[in-house]
Amino acid sequence: MQDLRERFEKAGQGHVFKYFDALDKGEQEALLNQLKMVDLDELERLNKTLVFAKNTDAGIDFSKLTPAPYIPLPPEKDADAQWAKAKEVGEEAIRSGKLAAFVVAGGQGTRLGFNAPKGLYKVTPVKQKSLFQVFAEKILSASRKYGVRIPWIVMTSHINNAATVEFFEENAYFGLDKGDVIFFKQGLMPAVDLGGKIILEGKGKIAMTPDGHGGCLRGMVRSGALAELKRRGIECVSYFQVDNPLVNIIDPYFVGFHILGKSDMSSKMIPKAYALEKVGHFCMLDGKLTVVEYSDLPAQYQEQVDENGKLKFIAGSVAIHILDVGFIERLGSSTKPEDRLPFHRANKKIPFIDDSGVLQKPEKPNGIKFEMFVFDALPMAANPVIIEGFRGDEFSPVKNAEGLDSPATCKAHQKAQWARWLAAAGVNIDTDKDGVPGIDIEISPLFASNQADFVASWNALGQKPEIRNGLYIA
Ligand code: UTP
């Protein structure tokens, strides 16, 4: 204990012991356990580079930035030799049990303002299925289609792990085999105030926050989840975020392009909906694939057009990747600085104990949280592949309570997708100009999770259901 105290004092963080002597034994032990997890050298580095540095911009020479190349979506995937080949290779890999699904669900979801893990949020228009249920059914459906067990890794955090596991238990894992769902908690980082001091959120507790979605790489290794995947013969994982129910989790084309490209990490891109859309941009910088966040890319670049009037930096990153197990292992277990993902700074409102020992809930950001981003692994990946996806079949995140990227827009996009699938099967529903039907409809992933499968399953139905408000096709 003395040794720990001295180390914190030497690092200028001795204040974390301010109330120590007044704590009971259990509280003292809990605090010491928290403090043992803090890497003081790392914290000092982060304070220097992210808290005190005068210049905390991304340090990018924008004049050197060029758009990243990607494989464009053809009008008909199966009629295109390259895409058809990728599908064949991807299906073979899936069928032979080489793919696992991986959702990162450790975030705090503060923008949505939902008082539970985000995966519990009810997102579908008719059955009010939760995000986790939608994903589980997509995985189950692929598992049945390909006749293979598909493990699903769920990254949680210390804040939401218990509630997440309980939800899966209560819902009998949504039909999945419990042994195929593997939870692990991501790492934590101490949060600091604007002067770089670790924040006390209680007299015997320091503020620790999840280390960002990029923390999944070292989290996979440290938790043993990666070893379990290797034991099962898994070679790559399909990475997605918890807020996007449209995601095509088991996509043979994507898997095939990843394998054919001998890629460490592949990504899906969606053409930006408009110049200033808040997504990352796939760019090349010094010969490396890099995602430049919208907040780091000056508007003049976001808005640049080519001679045909098309956006130059059009490739939006929507946080859909395939990662090789070997690549995760290399980055997640390496101690070499060049293999480590960088940290970024996020200013947040963090409750704290003031000088008189009273808990304060700040109205404006008072502290800094350190996070890693998974896309920062791309510059370190060999042969990264990017393929284009169709937004309507891939991406509609629930981020905000209202407005853009909200439950309302996401419901509309789900309905529009299903109306398109029905139209492809010859059933036309009245829609608005954006293709959104006025009535509520829903198609279960267990019936079909892509248009081609929907048309086949629909055609195979003896009696077709009546098209009406509240239609649920399962
Ligand atoms: P967001 O960037 O939307 O962050 O995460 P968030 O914490 O969920 O939400 P806000 O910003 O507080 O509203 C994108 C994805 O990354 C996961 C989230 O769960 C989501 O799937 N994530 C984020 C983690 O798993 N861990 C983290 O530390 C941060």
Side-chain angles (χ1 to χ4, degrees):
M1 198 292 268
Q2 203 46 36
D3 173 48
L4 197 67
R5 195 168 189 152
E6 274 165 24
R7 281 201 291 121
F8 272 77
E9 266 156 19
K10 211 166 137 225
Q13 303 286 0
H15 64 285
V16 297
F17 285 93
K18 181 166 175 188
Y19 302 101
F20 191 78
D21 296 336
L23 300 175
D24 67 31
K25 274 246 151 335
E27 291 168 331
Q28 287 185 340
E29 206 165 305
L31 177 60
L32 292 176
N33 284 337
Q34 263 196 315
L35 298 179
K36 279 182 207 149
M37 285 174 9
V38 176
D39 181 338
L40 285 168
D41 295 334
E42 180 172 71
L43 184 62
E44 192 184 329
R45 244 190 342 263
L46 295 176
N47 268 338
K48 242 187 229 153
T49 51
L50 297 174
V51 180
F52 301 130
K54 290 223 163 37
N55 185 5
T56 51
D57 67 21
I60 299 167
D61 179 354
F62 294 109
S63 66
K64 286 198 192 156
L65 215 57
T66 55
Y70 60 86
I71 300 166
L73 193 61
E76 260 291 336
K77 288 192 214 175
D78 289 341
D80 180 284
Q82 197 191 6
W83 283 71
K85 177 74 192 160
K87 180 183 181 185
E88 190 189 314
V89 170
E91 286 195 321
E92 178 50 32
I94 298 166
R95 226 178 269 120
S96 48
K98 294 188 175 144
L99 184 71
F102 178 29
V103 66
V104 288
Q108 293 174 291
T110 43
R111 282 171 287 172
L112 183 61
F114 174 56
N115 198 16
K118 212 189 231 186
L120 278 59
Y121 193 81
K122 293 183 169 62
V123 75
T124 67
V126 175
K127 288 290 170 184
Q128 307 293 323
K129 288 181 188 173
S130 64
L131 284 154
F132 280 138
Q133 181 171 359
V134 172
F135 303 139
E137 291 183 350
K138 286 188 175 188
I139 294 166
L140 184 56
S141 143
S143 171
R144 288 178 182 162
K145 176 173 171 179
Y146 293 106
V148 67
R149 290 170 70 173
I150 301 178
W152 181 17
I153 312 279
V154 181
M155 181 172 88
T156 61
S157 76
H158 73 300
I159 301 166
N160 67 15
N161 184 69
T164 303
V165 176
E166 196 184 324
F167 187 65
F168 275 77
E169 285 285 335
E170 277 166 6
N171 290 285
Y173 288 74
F174 310 100
L176 290 169
D177 186 332
K178 179 174 171 172
D180 288 337
V181 183
I182 302 161
F183 299 93
F184 78 87
K185 286 181 251 176
Q186 68 178 112
L188 297 174
M189 289 296 290
V192 298
D193 64 19
L194 303 176
K197 300 280 183 208
I198 296 175
I199 293 179
L200 274 174
E201 89 181 4
K203 291 183 179 170
K205 196 171 182 201
I206 59 168
M208 300 278 277
T209 57
D211 57 2
H213 43 68
C216 72
L217 302 182
R218 66 185 194 184
M220 275 256 218
V221 173
R222 288 176 183 174
S223 66
L226 196 80
E228 176 59 19
L229 291 184
K230 283 169 70 180
R231 198 186 60 73
R232 292 178 186 226
I234 299 294
E235 292 182 4
C236 51
V237 300
S238 168
Y239 168 103
F240 60 102
Q241 301 195 330
V242 76
D243 49 27
N244 177 24
L246 282 194
V247 63
N248 184 3
I249 304 172
I250 308 297
D251 178 354
Y253 299 94
F254 193 25
V255 176
F257 276 118
H258 173 83
I259 294 173
L260 287 168
K262 298 192 181 1
S263 163
D264 274 343
M265 177 169 177
S266 301
S267 308
K268 270 203 189 149
M269 77 70 120
I270 304 284
K272 284 195 297 180
Y274 47 95
L276 298 178
E277 192 182 6
K278 291 186 173 177
V279 291
H281 297 72
F282 286 111
C283 301
M284 297 303 291
L285 186 66
D286 297 328
K288 301 250 182 237
L289 177 62
T290 307
V291 170
V292 183
E293 277 284 63
Y294 65 90
S295 46
D296 290 330
L297 190 64
Q300 72 190 87
Y301 291 92
Q302 298 189 48
E303 290 171 330
Q304 240 175 42
V305 287
D306 65 16
E307 59 282 3
N308 302 316
K310 187 176 152 195
L311 285 173
K312 185 171 163 200
F313 292 98
I314 194 161
S317 168
V318 286
I320 297 174
H321 306 283
I322 292 186
L323 291 122
D324 253 30
V325 163
F327 181 61
I328 298 175
E329 185 165 38
R330 170 158 82 79
L331 265 56
S333 54
S334 175
T335 49
K336 290 193 238 143
E338 66 272 21
D339 276 350
R340 267 198 237 133
L341 298 188
F343 277 94
H344 299 257
R345 152 188 186 148
N347 293 350
K348 296 272 168 178
K349 292 182 252 179
I350 303 171
F352 66 101
I353 290 283
D354 68 14
D355 285 342
S356 43
V358 178
L359 183 70
Q360 301 289 345
K361 292 202 168 155
E363 306 261 293
K364 49 182 199 271
N366 62 314
I368 293 163
K369 180 171 151 177
F370 300 111
E371 290 188 319
M372 288 178 277
F373 297 154
V374 76
F375 53 73
D376 279 330
L378 284 169
M380 305 175 202
N383 312 317
V385 167
I386 306 177
I387 70 165
E388 180 177 353
F390 169 55
R391 182 183 291 260
D393 281 340
E394 306 273 0
F395 185 60
S396 181
V398 177
K399 295 274 185 202
N400 308 306
E402 283 170 4
L404 277 180
D405 295 341
S406 65
T409 55
C410 183
K411 274 196 186 107
H413 294 147
Q414 293 174 67
K415 291 199 306 180
Q417 180 187 44
W418 295 322
R420 272 196 317 276
W421 293 3
L422 279 159
V427 182
N428 288 303
I429 306 183
D430 283 344
T431 65
D432 66 12
K433 62 175 180 18
D434 298 319
V436 182
I439 56 170
D440 281 342
I441 55 167
E442 183 170 333
I443 297 171
S444 168
L446 295 173
F447 185 79
S449 37
N450 63 55
Q451 182 173 304
D453 289 352
F454 176 79
V455 173
S457 301
W458 178 264
N459 289 338
L461 279 182
Q463 176 130 17
K464 312 278 193 251
E466 178 202 346
I467 303 300
R468 55 169 177 82
N469 189 33
L471 171 68
Y472 177 59
I473 306 174

